[in-house]
Amino acid sequence: MQPFTDQLNRKIILPEFPPKKIVSLVPSITELLYDLGLEKEISGITKFCVHPGHAKKDKPIIGGTKNFHIEKIETLAPDLIIANKEENLKSQVDALQTKFPVWISDVESFVSAMQLIQGVGAVTGKDKEAAKLIQAIETAFSTIPVSGKKYRVTYLIWQNPLMTIGGDTFIQVMLEKAGLENVFKEKARYPEISVEDIRDSGTEILLLSSEPYPFGEKHVPYFQEALPGIKILLADGEMFSWYGSRMVAAAAYFKDLQKRISLLVKD
């Protein structure tokens, strides 16, 4: 049987190829599997797999991304599980690996996002579909205007405590693709910050992400009062943090975001 290599450079061997029963532990990868034409093969997803909209009605739910139920997965008897180094707990993934082939993704750059799509296409027998998707994403991102002005932004992902993103994250990569400069890019991963840190950072625009914390319109007045002079925008977190087929829509979203920012700073 042909071995496949995941993004942690691990070799896995499938009991059947192409796999007939796939469990996805990652929302963005679930969407990717659907878009590669694998709806029938998907046999289990997490409660956070909200795209496509009918997925949670049609497929067994095996729990969350960090607290999935191994017993439920065992009853599904998958011949492939797809996980992520960051989104899933290592201890749970390790437990699954003793019984099933687990292909683990690790995405921290645009290149590794494309490699994810290629790798998932290979391990599921959807190489051609994956290649077409990669081409579509690369073409879409090539159309994003390159502006001479890079607005300095803080991208918030959590409230109480306030948390932002550092320079070693996929969100950082997407901010750069959107033509924005992360003022906290010198920090690592997901640092805690304060309102004072934002005020002193030279931030021009505060982006309030819709996930993982669901920032919304009700949060805007607080930050407007606390950070006078800083423009505030709500941001679709999926567009910045979901790797996979969502990236096609992300490119169009970033072009629209650039227009919204230009209008905002003129006010």
Side-chain angles (χ1 to χ4, degrees):
M1 290 182 286
Q2 178 185 357
F4 294 90
T5 303
D6 67 12
Q7 289 191 288
L8 297 186
N9 204 34
R10 299 165 51 258
K11 301 290 184 182
I12 67 169
I13 296 177
L14 303 185
E16 181 173 357
F17 182 80
K20 296 291 191 296
K21 294 182 290 182
I22 304 171
V23 168
S24 171
L25 305 179
V26 187
S28 58
I29 292 178
T30 296
E31 181 181 46
L32 171 61
L33 292 171
Y34 271 90
D35 289 338
L36 290 177
L38 292 159
E39 179 171 358
K40 291 182 179 179
E41 288 79 3
I42 298 170
S43 60
I45 62 175
T46 79
K47 64 181 180 181
F48 299 115
C49 295
V50 295
H51 297 296
H54 59 84
K56 290 175 66 175
K57 298 177 182 178
D58 299 341
K59 301 297 180 179
I61 306 300
I62 51 81
T65 54
K66 297 189 185 299
N67 60 345
F68 49 81
H69 305 295
I70 293 178
E71 297 81 6
K72 286 187 177 181
I73 295 175
E74 288 176 341
T75 63
L76 297 173
D79 40 37
L80 174 63
I81 297 172
I82 304 182
N84 178 263
K85 177 184 175 182
E86 182 172 83
E87 293 194 47
N88 306 126
L89 293 178
K90 184 177 184 300
S91 59
Q92 287 198 304
V93 173
D94 286 346
L96 289 175
Q97 288 179 132
T98 65
K99 300 179 180 180
F100 308 104
V102 182
W103 195 96
I104 302 175
S105 59
D106 183 21
V107 179
E108 293 185 352
S109 68
F110 189 87
V111 171
S112 60
M114 298 303 98
Q115 291 171 341
L116 160 72
I117 297 171
Q118 182 182 43
V120 170
V123 79
T124 58
K126 294 290 184 177
D127 301 81
K128 292 181 180 179
E129 292 83 352
K132 289 180 181 179
L133 179 57
I134 290 170
Q135 182 61 55
I137 293 171
E138 291 177 340
T139 299
F141 271 84
S142 72
T143 66
I144 300 175
V146 179
S147 173
K149 167 65 176 176
K150 278 197 171 185
Y151 291 102
R152 293 169 56 83
V153 304
T154 294
Y155 184 101
L156 288 185
I157 60 169
W158 202 256
Q159 170 94 311
N160 297 325
L162 291 181
M163 294 177 68
T164 186
I165 58 104
D168 55 349
T169 61
F170 183 67
I171 296 174
Q172 164 69 23
V173 174
M174 293 295 99
L175 286 173
E176 291 177 352
K177 291 291 185 180
L180 302 172
E181 181 181 354
N182 175 19
V183 299
F184 293 104
K185 64 183 177 182
E186 299 305 320
K187 293 184 178 293
R189 306 310 292 163
Y190 308 108
E192 292 184 17
I193 58 173
S194 65
V195 168
E196 291 73 21
D197 291 331
I198 300 173
R199 188 182 299 130
D200 297 339
S201 67
T203 294
E204 297 172 283
I205 298 166
L206 179 66
L207 295 175
L208 303 179
S209 177
S210 61
E211 65 168 50
Y213 186 87
F215 284 107
E217 289 287 352
K218 66 181 181 180
H219 299 100
V220 173
Y222 165 76
F223 287 106
Q224 285 182 330
E225 182 177 353
L227 299 166
I230 294 178
K231 304 293 185 178
I232 300 169
L233 273 177
L234 299 178
D236 186 335
E238 293 178 359
M239 298 301 180
F240 284 95
S241 62
W242 281 41
Y243 36 80
S245 45
R246 176 68 32 166
M247 293 175 70
V248 176
Y253 176 82
F254 293 159
K255 289 194 285 187
D256 180 68
L257 181 63
Q258 287 182 345
K259 294 177 182 178
R260 288 194 288 142
I261 288 175
S262 294
L263 292 173
L264 186 66
V265 297
K266 290 178 181 178
D267 291 342

PDB file of all heavy atoms in Angstrom, residues 156 159 162 195 198-199 204-208 215-234 264 267:
ATOM      1  N   LEU A 156      -7.989  41.765  16.965  1.00  0.00           N
ATOM      2  CA  LEU A 156      -8.371  41.134  18.231  1.00  0.00           C
ATOM      3  C   LEU A 156      -9.117  39.828  17.999  1.00  0.00           C
ATOM      4  O   LEU A 156     -10.022  39.758  17.164  1.00  0.00           O
ATOM      5  CB  LEU A 156      -9.252  42.079  19.055  1.00  0.00           C
ATOM      6  CG  LEU A 156      -8.578  43.294  19.688  1.00  0.00           C
ATOM      7  CD1 LEU A 156      -9.583  44.048  20.570  1.00  0.00           C
ATOM      8  CD2 LEU A 156      -7.352  42.906  20.507  1.00  0.00           C
ATOM      9  N   GLN A 159     -11.724  38.560  24.055  1.00  0.00           N
ATOM     10  CA  GLN A 159     -12.104  39.605  25.000  1.00  0.00           C
ATOM     11  C   GLN A 159     -12.001  39.024  26.410  1.00  0.00           C
ATOM     12  O   GLN A 159     -12.405  37.895  26.662  1.00  0.00           O
ATOM     13  CB  GLN A 159     -13.549  40.023  24.714  1.00  0.00           C
ATOM     14  CG  GLN A 159     -14.196  40.921  25.747  1.00  0.00           C
ATOM     15  CD  GLN A 159     -14.053  42.385  25.384  1.00  0.00           C
ATOM     16  OE1 GLN A 159     -12.947  42.823  25.069  1.00  0.00           O
ATOM     17  NE2 GLN A 159     -15.135  43.125  25.420  1.00  0.00           N
ATOM     18  N   LEU A 162      -8.010  40.623  26.595  1.00  0.00           N
ATOM     19  CA  LEU A 162      -7.832  40.966  25.191  1.00  0.00           C
ATOM     20  C   LEU A 162      -6.659  40.171  24.641  1.00  0.00           C
ATOM     21  O   LEU A 162      -5.601  40.090  25.252  1.00  0.00           O
ATOM     22  CB  LEU A 162      -7.541  42.469  25.036  1.00  0.00           C
ATOM     23  CG  LEU A 162      -8.671  43.441  25.351  1.00  0.00           C
ATOM     24  CD1 LEU A 162      -8.182  44.872  25.117  1.00  0.00           C
ATOM     25  CD2 LEU A 162      -9.904  43.151  24.513  1.00  0.00           C
ATOM     26  N   VAL A 195      -5.758  47.607  26.539  1.00  0.00           N
ATOM     27  CA  VAL A 195      -6.194  48.768  25.767  1.00  0.00           C
ATOM     28  C   VAL A 195      -5.056  49.770  25.652  1.00  0.00           C
ATOM     29  O   VAL A 195      -4.847  50.378  24.600  1.00  0.00           O
ATOM     30  CB  VAL A 195      -7.434  49.415  26.427  1.00  0.00           C
ATOM     31  CG1 VAL A 195      -7.725  50.783  25.806  1.00  0.00           C
ATOM     32  CG2 VAL A 195      -8.648  48.502  26.280  1.00  0.00           C
ATOM     33  N   ILE A 198      -2.678  48.847  22.907  1.00  0.00           N
ATOM     34  CA  ILE A 198      -3.197  49.223  21.594  1.00  0.00           C
ATOM     35  C   ILE A 198      -3.015  50.715  21.365  1.00  0.00           C
ATOM     36  O   ILE A 198      -2.558  51.158  20.304  1.00  0.00           O
ATOM     37  CB  ILE A 198      -4.686  48.838  21.465  1.00  0.00           C
ATOM     38  CG1 ILE A 198      -4.870  47.333  21.636  1.00  0.00           C
ATOM     39  CG2 ILE A 198      -5.247  49.303  20.109  1.00  0.00           C
ATOM     40  CD1 ILE A 198      -6.323  46.891  21.686  1.00  0.00           C
ATOM     41  N   ARG A 199      -3.347  51.497  22.390  1.00  0.00           N
ATOM     42  CA  ARG A 199      -3.263  52.958  22.282  1.00  0.00           C
ATOM     43  C   ARG A 199      -1.834  53.417  22.020  1.00  0.00           C
ATOM     44  O   ARG A 199      -1.604  54.364  21.266  1.00  0.00           O
ATOM     45  CB  ARG A 199      -3.797  53.596  23.570  1.00  0.00           C
ATOM     46  CG  ARG A 199      -3.943  55.112  23.522  1.00  0.00           C
ATOM     47  CD  ARG A 199      -4.420  55.646  24.859  1.00  0.00           C
ATOM     48  NE  ARG A 199      -5.730  55.090  25.206  1.00  0.00           N
ATOM     49  CZ  ARG A 199      -6.009  54.535  26.386  1.00  0.00           C
ATOM     50  NH1 ARG A 199      -5.076  54.418  27.313  1.00  0.00           N
ATOM     51  NH2 ARG A 199      -7.225  54.083  26.627  1.00  0.00           N
ATOM     52  N   GLU A 204      -3.724  52.245  13.750  1.00  0.00           N
ATOM     53  CA  GLU A 204      -4.630  53.132  13.027  1.00  0.00           C
ATOM     54  C   GLU A 204      -6.022  52.537  12.925  1.00  0.00           C
ATOM     55  O   GLU A 204      -7.016  53.263  12.932  1.00  0.00           O
ATOM     56  CB  GLU A 204      -4.085  53.410  11.627  1.00  0.00           C
ATOM     57  CG  GLU A 204      -2.747  54.131  11.610  1.00  0.00           C
ATOM     58  CD  GLU A 204      -2.164  54.215  10.215  1.00  0.00           C
ATOM     59  OE1 GLU A 204      -1.618  53.189   9.737  1.00  0.00           O
ATOM     60  OE2 GLU A 204      -2.274  55.301   9.610  1.00  0.00           O
ATOM     61  N   ILE A 205      -6.076  51.197  12.807  1.00  0.00           N
ATOM     62  CA  ILE A 205      -7.360  50.512  12.644  1.00  0.00           C
ATOM     63  C   ILE A 205      -7.408  49.301  13.561  1.00  0.00           C
ATOM     64  O   ILE A 205      -6.480  48.490  13.585  1.00  0.00           O
ATOM     65  CB  ILE A 205      -7.563  50.055  11.192  1.00  0.00           C
ATOM     66  CG1 ILE A 205      -7.589  51.274  10.259  1.00  0.00           C
ATOM     67  CG2 ILE A 205      -8.851  49.259  11.040  1.00  0.00           C
ATOM     68  CD1 ILE A 205      -7.451  50.931   8.808  1.00  0.00           C
ATOM     69  N   LEU A 206      -8.480  49.190  14.314  1.00  0.00           N
ATOM     70  CA  LEU A 206      -8.701  48.033  15.178  1.00  0.00           C
ATOM     71  C   LEU A 206      -9.696  47.109  14.487  1.00  0.00           C
ATOM     72  O   LEU A 206     -10.814  47.505  14.163  1.00  0.00           O
ATOM     73  CB  LEU A 206      -9.263  48.481  16.531  1.00  0.00           C
ATOM     74  CG  LEU A 206      -9.570  47.374  17.542  1.00  0.00           C
ATOM     75  CD1 LEU A 206      -8.288  46.689  17.996  1.00  0.00           C
ATOM     76  CD2 LEU A 206     -10.345  47.917  18.739  1.00  0.00           C
ATOM     77  N   LEU A 207      -9.254  45.870  14.240  1.00  0.00           N
ATOM     78  CA  LEU A 207     -10.122  44.859  13.630  1.00  0.00           C
ATOM     79  C   LEU A 207     -10.651  43.935  14.714  1.00  0.00           C
ATOM     80  O   LEU A 207      -9.880  43.299  15.436  1.00  0.00           O
ATOM     81  CB  LEU A 207      -9.350  44.055  12.586  1.00  0.00           C
ATOM     82  CG  LEU A 207      -8.869  44.827  11.345  1.00  0.00           C
ATOM     83  CD1 LEU A 207      -8.024  43.922  10.463  1.00  0.00           C
ATOM     84  CD2 LEU A 207     -10.042  45.391  10.566  1.00  0.00           C
ATOM     85  N   LEU A 208     -11.968  43.872  14.833  1.00  0.00           N
ATOM     86  CA  LEU A 208     -12.614  42.994  15.805  1.00  0.00           C
ATOM     87  C   LEU A 208     -13.094  41.758  15.059  1.00  0.00           C
ATOM     88  O   LEU A 208     -14.036  41.812  14.262  1.00  0.00           O
ATOM     89  CB  LEU A 208     -13.795  43.707  16.477  1.00  0.00           C
ATOM     90  CG  LEU A 208     -13.481  45.019  17.198  1.00  0.00           C
ATOM     91  CD1 LEU A 208     -14.767  45.613  17.781  1.00  0.00           C
ATOM     92  CD2 LEU A 208     -12.452  44.800  18.298  1.00  0.00           C
ATOM     93  N   PHE A 215     -16.890  38.914  18.347  1.00  0.00           N
ATOM     94  CA  PHE A 215     -17.046  40.361  18.410  1.00  0.00           C
ATOM     95  C   PHE A 215     -18.148  40.789  17.442  1.00  0.00           C
ATOM     96  O   PHE A 215     -18.282  40.242  16.344  1.00  0.00           O
ATOM     97  CB  PHE A 215     -15.741  41.068  18.031  1.00  0.00           C
ATOM     98  CG  PHE A 215     -14.693  41.043  19.107  1.00  0.00           C
ATOM     99  CD1 PHE A 215     -13.570  40.230  18.975  1.00  0.00           C
ATOM    100  CD2 PHE A 215     -14.817  41.823  20.246  1.00  0.00           C
ATOM    101  CE1 PHE A 215     -12.585  40.205  19.954  1.00  0.00           C
ATOM    102  CE2 PHE A 215     -13.842  41.798  21.237  1.00  0.00           C
ATOM    103  CZ  PHE A 215     -12.722  40.993  21.090  1.00  0.00           C
ATOM    104  N   GLY A 216     -18.925  41.804  17.854  1.00  0.00           N
ATOM    105  CA  GLY A 216     -20.004  42.307  17.016  1.00  0.00           C
ATOM    106  C   GLY A 216     -20.208  43.790  17.229  1.00  0.00           C
ATOM    107  O   GLY A 216     -19.427  44.460  17.931  1.00  0.00           O
ATOM    108  N   GLU A 217     -21.280  44.311  16.668  1.00  0.00           N
ATOM    109  CA  GLU A 217     -21.562  45.744  16.752  1.00  0.00           C
ATOM    110  C   GLU A 217     -21.669  46.231  18.199  1.00  0.00           C
ATOM    111  O   GLU A 217     -21.302  47.362  18.506  1.00  0.00           O
ATOM    112  CB  GLU A 217     -22.871  46.055  16.008  1.00  0.00           C
ATOM    113  CG  GLU A 217     -22.779  45.946  14.498  1.00  0.00           C
ATOM    114  CD  GLU A 217     -21.989  47.089  13.874  1.00  0.00           C
ATOM    115  OE1 GLU A 217     -21.645  48.042  14.595  1.00  0.00           O
ATOM    116  OE2 GLU A 217     -21.719  47.011  12.658  1.00  0.00           O
ATOM    117  N   LYS A 218     -22.148  45.366  19.089  1.00  0.00           N
ATOM    118  CA  LYS A 218     -22.324  45.792  20.474  1.00  0.00           C
ATOM    119  C   LYS A 218     -21.007  46.100  21.168  1.00  0.00           C
ATOM    120  O   LYS A 218     -20.994  46.774  22.204  1.00  0.00           O
ATOM    121  CB  LYS A 218     -23.093  44.721  21.262  1.00  0.00           C
ATOM    122  CG  LYS A 218     -22.344  43.399  21.425  1.00  0.00           C
ATOM    123  CD  LYS A 218     -23.183  42.394  22.190  1.00  0.00           C
ATOM    124  CE  LYS A 218     -22.441  41.076  22.381  1.00  0.00           C
ATOM    125  NZ  LYS A 218     -23.263  40.081  23.127  1.00  0.00           N
ATOM    126  N   HIS A 219     -19.892  45.612  20.622  1.00  0.00           N
ATOM    127  CA  HIS A 219     -18.597  45.863  21.240  1.00  0.00           C
ATOM    128  C   HIS A 219     -17.931  47.142  20.738  1.00  0.00           C
ATOM    129  O   HIS A 219     -16.980  47.626  21.338  1.00  0.00           O
ATOM    130  CB  HIS A 219     -17.656  44.678  20.978  1.00  0.00           C
ATOM    131  CG  HIS A 219     -18.141  43.385  21.545  1.00  0.00           C
ATOM    132  ND1 HIS A 219     -18.769  42.425  20.772  1.00  0.00           N
ATOM    133  CD2 HIS A 219     -18.109  42.881  22.801  1.00  0.00           C
ATOM    134  CE1 HIS A 219     -19.095  41.390  21.533  1.00  0.00           C
ATOM    135  NE2 HIS A 219     -18.707  41.637  22.759  1.00  0.00           N
ATOM    136  N   VAL A 220     -18.421  47.669  19.620  1.00  0.00           N
ATOM    137  CA  VAL A 220     -17.771  48.815  18.998  1.00  0.00           C
ATOM    138  C   VAL A 220     -17.776  50.060  19.884  1.00  0.00           C
ATOM    139  O   VAL A 220     -16.731  50.719  20.017  1.00  0.00           O
ATOM    140  CB  VAL A 220     -18.411  49.116  17.623  1.00  0.00           C
ATOM    141  CG1 VAL A 220     -17.854  50.422  17.041  1.00  0.00           C
ATOM    142  CG2 VAL A 220     -18.149  47.962  16.660  1.00  0.00           C
ATOM    143  N   PRO A 221     -18.910  50.432  20.521  1.00  0.00           N
ATOM    144  CA  PRO A 221     -18.906  51.652  21.336  1.00  0.00           C
ATOM    145  C   PRO A 221     -17.844  51.652  22.436  1.00  0.00           C
ATOM    146  O   PRO A 221     -17.223  52.693  22.705  1.00  0.00           O
ATOM    147  CB  PRO A 221     -20.322  51.677  21.926  1.00  0.00           C
ATOM    148  CG  PRO A 221     -21.149  50.930  20.931  1.00  0.00           C
ATOM    149  CD  PRO A 221     -20.258  49.838  20.432  1.00  0.00           C
ATOM    150  N   TYR A 222     -17.629  50.522  23.077  1.00  0.00           N
ATOM    151  CA  TYR A 222     -16.614  50.460  24.133  1.00  0.00           C
ATOM    152  C   TYR A 222     -15.233  50.810  23.596  1.00  0.00           C
ATOM    153  O   TYR A 222     -14.507  51.628  24.175  1.00  0.00           O
ATOM    154  CB  TYR A 222     -16.578  49.073  24.773  1.00  0.00           C
ATOM    155  CG  TYR A 222     -15.338  48.841  25.610  1.00  0.00           C
ATOM    156  CD1 TYR A 222     -15.209  49.404  26.878  1.00  0.00           C
ATOM    157  CD2 TYR A 222     -14.272  48.089  25.098  1.00  0.00           C
ATOM    158  CE1 TYR A 222     -14.059  49.220  27.631  1.00  0.00           C
ATOM    159  CE2 TYR A 222     -13.115  47.898  25.844  1.00  0.00           C
ATOM    160  CZ  TYR A 222     -13.025  48.467  27.105  1.00  0.00           C
ATOM    161  OH  TYR A 222     -11.875  48.292  27.843  1.00  0.00           O
ATOM    162  N   PHE A 223     -14.873  50.197  22.486  1.00  0.00           N
ATOM    163  CA  PHE A 223     -13.542  50.434  21.939  1.00  0.00           C
ATOM    164  C   PHE A 223     -13.418  51.841  21.348  1.00  0.00           C
ATOM    165  O   PHE A 223     -12.345  52.448  21.411  1.00  0.00           O
ATOM    166  CB  PHE A 223     -13.209  49.373  20.886  1.00  0.00           C
ATOM    167  CG  PHE A 223     -12.911  48.027  21.476  1.00  0.00           C
ATOM    168  CD1 PHE A 223     -13.831  46.996  21.376  1.00  0.00           C
ATOM    169  CD2 PHE A 223     -11.725  47.791  22.150  1.00  0.00           C
ATOM    170  CE1 PHE A 223     -13.567  45.752  21.933  1.00  0.00           C
ATOM    171  CE2 PHE A 223     -11.448  46.554  22.717  1.00  0.00           C
ATOM    172  CZ  PHE A 223     -12.370  45.530  22.609  1.00  0.00           C
ATOM    173  N   GLN A 224     -14.509  52.383  20.810  1.00  0.00           N
ATOM    174  CA  GLN A 224     -14.463  53.746  20.302  1.00  0.00           C
ATOM    175  C   GLN A 224     -14.201  54.742  21.418  1.00  0.00           C
ATOM    176  O   GLN A 224     -13.451  55.703  21.245  1.00  0.00           O
ATOM    177  CB  GLN A 224     -15.779  54.084  19.587  1.00  0.00           C
ATOM    178  CG  GLN A 224     -15.912  53.439  18.210  1.00  0.00           C
ATOM    179  CD  GLN A 224     -17.181  53.823  17.503  1.00  0.00           C
ATOM    180  OE1 GLN A 224     -18.210  54.097  18.124  1.00  0.00           O
ATOM    181  NE2 GLN A 224     -17.142  53.842  16.175  1.00  0.00           N
ATOM    182  N   GLU A 225     -14.818  54.490  22.573  1.00  0.00           N
ATOM    183  CA  GLU A 225     -14.610  55.383  23.719  1.00  0.00           C
ATOM    184  C   GLU A 225     -13.219  55.193  24.311  1.00  0.00           C
ATOM    185  O   GLU A 225     -12.560  56.158  24.704  1.00  0.00           O
ATOM    186  CB  GLU A 225     -15.673  55.126  24.789  1.00  0.00           C
ATOM    187  CG  GLU A 225     -15.550  56.045  25.998  1.00  0.00           C
ATOM    188  CD  GLU A 225     -16.653  55.820  27.016  1.00  0.00           C
ATOM    189  OE1 GLU A 225     -17.593  55.038  26.735  1.00  0.00           O
ATOM    190  OE2 GLU A 225     -16.579  56.423  28.096  1.00  0.00           O
ATOM    191  N   ALA A 226     -12.763  53.936  24.371  1.00  0.00           N
ATOM    192  CA  ALA A 226     -11.461  53.648  24.994  1.00  0.00           C
ATOM    193  C   ALA A 226     -10.292  54.026  24.097  1.00  0.00           C
ATOM    194  O   ALA A 226      -9.190  54.301  24.590  1.00  0.00           O
ATOM    195  CB  ALA A 226     -11.379  52.161  25.344  1.00  0.00           C
ATOM    196  N   LEU A 227     -10.529  54.053  22.775  1.00  0.00           N
ATOM    197  CA  LEU A 227      -9.443  54.288  21.818  1.00  0.00           C
ATOM    198  C   LEU A 227      -9.814  55.402  20.843  1.00  0.00           C
ATOM    199  O   LEU A 227      -9.989  55.184  19.641  1.00  0.00           O
ATOM    200  CB  LEU A 227      -9.124  52.999  21.058  1.00  0.00           C
ATOM    201  CG  LEU A 227      -8.650  51.819  21.903  1.00  0.00           C
ATOM    202  CD1 LEU A 227      -8.703  50.526  21.106  1.00  0.00           C
ATOM    203  CD2 LEU A 227      -7.236  52.076  22.428  1.00  0.00           C
ATOM    204  N   PRO A 228      -9.960  56.628  21.347  1.00  0.00           N
ATOM    205  CA  PRO A 228     -10.305  57.733  20.450  1.00  0.00           C
ATOM    206  C   PRO A 228      -9.214  57.946  19.401  1.00  0.00           C
ATOM    207  O   PRO A 228      -8.027  57.832  19.686  1.00  0.00           O
ATOM    208  CB  PRO A 228     -10.401  58.929  21.396  1.00  0.00           C
ATOM    209  CG  PRO A 228      -9.578  58.554  22.589  1.00  0.00           C
ATOM    210  CD  PRO A 228      -9.733  57.076  22.729  1.00  0.00           C
ATOM    211  N   GLY A 229      -9.645  58.192  18.177  1.00  0.00           N
ATOM    212  CA  GLY A 229      -8.678  58.411  17.108  1.00  0.00           C
ATOM    213  C   GLY A 229      -8.339  57.163  16.325  1.00  0.00           C
ATOM    214  O   GLY A 229      -7.724  57.238  15.257  1.00  0.00           O
ATOM    215  N   ILE A 230      -8.713  56.007  16.857  1.00  0.00           N
ATOM    216  CA  ILE A 230      -8.474  54.746  16.153  1.00  0.00           C
ATOM    217  C   ILE A 230      -9.768  54.298  15.479  1.00  0.00           C
ATOM    218  O   ILE A 230     -10.818  54.251  16.116  1.00  0.00           O
ATOM    219  CB  ILE A 230      -7.961  53.653  17.116  1.00  0.00           C
ATOM    220  CG1 ILE A 230      -6.573  54.030  17.654  1.00  0.00           C
ATOM    221  CG2 ILE A 230      -7.902  52.300  16.421  1.00  0.00           C
ATOM    222  CD1 ILE A 230      -6.004  53.036  18.650  1.00  0.00           C
ATOM    223  N   LYS A 231      -9.694  53.980  14.197  1.00  0.00           N
ATOM    224  CA  LYS A 231     -10.861  53.518  13.461  1.00  0.00           C
ATOM    225  C   LYS A 231     -11.123  52.050  13.803  1.00  0.00           C
ATOM    226  O   LYS A 231     -10.188  51.276  14.000  1.00  0.00           O
ATOM    227  CB  LYS A 231     -10.646  53.658  11.951  1.00  0.00           C
ATOM    228  CG  LYS A 231     -10.291  55.071  11.498  1.00  0.00           C
ATOM    229  CD  LYS A 231     -11.443  56.042  11.704  1.00  0.00           C
ATOM    230  CE  LYS A 231     -11.113  57.409  11.132  1.00  0.00           C
ATOM    231  NZ  LYS A 231     -12.240  58.356  11.283  1.00  0.00           N
ATOM    232  N   ILE A 232     -12.405  51.690  13.860  1.00  0.00           N
ATOM    233  CA  ILE A 232     -12.772  50.337  14.277  1.00  0.00           C
ATOM    234  C   ILE A 232     -13.627  49.676  13.206  1.00  0.00           C
ATOM    235  O   ILE A 232     -14.585  50.252  12.698  1.00  0.00           O
ATOM    236  CB  ILE A 232     -13.519  50.360  15.622  1.00  0.00           C
ATOM    237  CG1 ILE A 232     -12.625  50.976  16.700  1.00  0.00           C
ATOM    238  CG2 ILE A 232     -13.952  48.953  16.024  1.00  0.00           C
ATOM    239  CD1 ILE A 232     -13.322  51.282  17.986  1.00  0.00           C
ATOM    240  N   LEU A 233     -13.262  48.446  12.868  1.00  0.00           N
ATOM    241  CA  LEU A 233     -14.003  47.664  11.875  1.00  0.00           C
ATOM    242  C   LEU A 233     -14.231  46.248  12.397  1.00  0.00           C
ATOM    243  O   LEU A 233     -13.362  45.673  13.052  1.00  0.00           O
ATOM    244  CB  LEU A 233     -13.216  47.571  10.569  1.00  0.00           C
ATOM    245  CG  LEU A 233     -13.378  48.683   9.529  1.00  0.00           C
ATOM    246  CD1 LEU A 233     -12.451  48.407   8.353  1.00  0.00           C
ATOM    247  CD2 LEU A 233     -14.820  48.773   9.043  1.00  0.00           C
ATOM    248  N   LEU A 234     -15.389  45.696  12.079  1.00  0.00           N
ATOM    249  CA  LEU A 234     -15.624  44.281  12.341  1.00  0.00           C
ATOM    250  C   LEU A 234     -14.995  43.477  11.209  1.00  0.00           C
ATOM    251  O   LEU A 234     -15.043  43.873  10.044  1.00  0.00           O
ATOM    252  CB  LEU A 234     -17.121  43.997  12.418  1.00  0.00           C
ATOM    253  CG  LEU A 234     -17.903  44.726  13.515  1.00  0.00           C
ATOM    254  CD1 LEU A 234     -19.373  44.375  13.425  1.00  0.00           C
ATOM    255  CD2 LEU A 234     -17.359  44.374  14.888  1.00  0.00           C
ATOM    256  N   LEU A 264     -13.215  54.594   5.347  1.00  0.00           N
ATOM    257  CA  LEU A 264     -13.239  54.818   6.780  1.00  0.00           C
ATOM    258  C   LEU A 264     -12.228  55.877   7.208  1.00  0.00           C
ATOM    259  O   LEU A 264     -12.535  56.766   8.003  1.00  0.00           O
ATOM    260  CB  LEU A 264     -12.975  53.514   7.525  1.00  0.00           C
ATOM    261  CG  LEU A 264     -13.101  53.531   9.045  1.00  0.00           C
ATOM    262  CD1 LEU A 264     -14.561  53.779   9.453  1.00  0.00           C
ATOM    263  CD2 LEU A 264     -12.610  52.229   9.642  1.00  0.00           C
ATOM    264  N   ASP A 267     -13.164  59.545   6.579  1.00  0.00           N
ATOM    265  CA  ASP A 267     -14.210  60.171   7.390  1.00  0.00           C
ATOM    266  C   ASP A 267     -13.624  61.077   8.471  1.00  0.00           C
ATOM    267  O   ASP A 267     -12.579  60.794   9.027  1.00  0.00           O
ATOM    268  CB  ASP A 267     -15.095  59.094   8.021  1.00  0.00           C
ATOM    269  CG  ASP A 267     -15.939  58.363   6.980  1.00  0.00           C
ATOM    270  OD1 ASP A 267     -16.078  58.917   5.874  1.00  0.00           O
ATOM    271  OD2 ASP A 267     -16.407  57.256   7.279  1.00  0.00           O
TER     272      ASP A 267
END
